[in-house]
Amino acid sequence: MAVIFGVTVDYILEEHTEIKIKPSKSEHRRHSLITSIAFIGVWTFAFLLFSILSLCTITYPMIFMYTIPTWLIVLLVLNSVWSILKANIFLISALVWSVLLSIYFTFISINPWILLLLGIPAQIIILLGFKIKRYK
């Protein structure tokens, strides 16, 4: 087996710690480009949907409010895939608050201000959840 992988038998039998490799500039540039394309795609879809509804004489600007949580979900997925976990606490917090604000502004005619109080325990759960350490 050592011959197949081109290593010594000692190397196979020893325990190895994982070495974290920082992403290169080209990889960072690729991530930025993919993030930009995703951003433009989400907002283009929102503008397209708004335009189609406007052509049907339906003016619904709340589409742009709903685009913010959608964009944050896309950004959260991309950050999780690329293992940029430190930014996830901010993204999850922003996602919770943007969803609450979207619901609030959707039902603003009935004055659902108490709905925003749900953000306080949600924020505490997020902060405490990120304090949990992973043990290997």
Side-chain angles (χ1 to χ4, degrees), residues 2-3 6 26 35 49 54-56 60 63 65-66 70 72 77 80 86 92-93 117 132 136:
V3 174
S26 63
T35 303
L49 193 59
S54 293
L55 290 174
C56 298
Y60 195 65
I63 290 172
M65 186 68 185
Y66 302 142
T70 306
L72 288 170
V77 168
S80 297
K86 290 184 180 181
I92 293 172
S93 293
L117 293 178
I132 297 173
K136 293 183 179 182

Side-chain angles (χ1 to χ4, degrees), residues 6-18:
V7 295
T8 63
V9 176
D10 290 340
Y11 184 81
I12 294 174
L13 297 176
E14 290 177 4
E15 184 176 332
H16 302 284
T17 58
E18 290 185 30

Side-chain angles (χ1 to χ4, degrees), residues 112-130:
W113 63 269
I114 200 149
L115 180 70
L116 296 177
L117 293 178
L118 289 173
I120 297 169
Q123 188 67 46
I124 292 170
I125 290 170
I126 292 167
L127 292 174
L128 292 177
F130 273 87

Side-chain angles (χ1 to χ4, degrees), residues 35-79:
T35 303
S36 300
I37 290 170
F39 176 79
I40 292 169
V42 168
W43 284 95
T44 301
F45 182 74
F47 282 114
L48 179 68
L49 193 59
F50 181 77
S51 300
I52 290 171
L53 289 176
S54 293
L55 290 174
C56 298
T57 65
I58 301 170
T59 305
Y60 195 65
M62 284 299 294
I63 290 172
F64 300 114
M65 186 68 185
Y66 302 142
T67 305
I68 296 170
T70 306
W71 163 239
L72 288 170
I73 290 170
V74 170
L75 195 56
L76 181 64
V77 168
L78 291 176
N79 268 346

Side-chain angles (χ1 to χ4, degrees), residues 97-118:
W97 286 103
S98 66
V99 167
L100 288 174
L101 285 172
S102 295
I103 295 169
Y104 175 80
F105 286 121
T106 300
F107 299 108
I108 199 160
S109 61
I110 59 172
N111 196 14
W113 63 269
I114 200 149
L115 180 70
L116 296 177
L117 293 178
L118 289 173

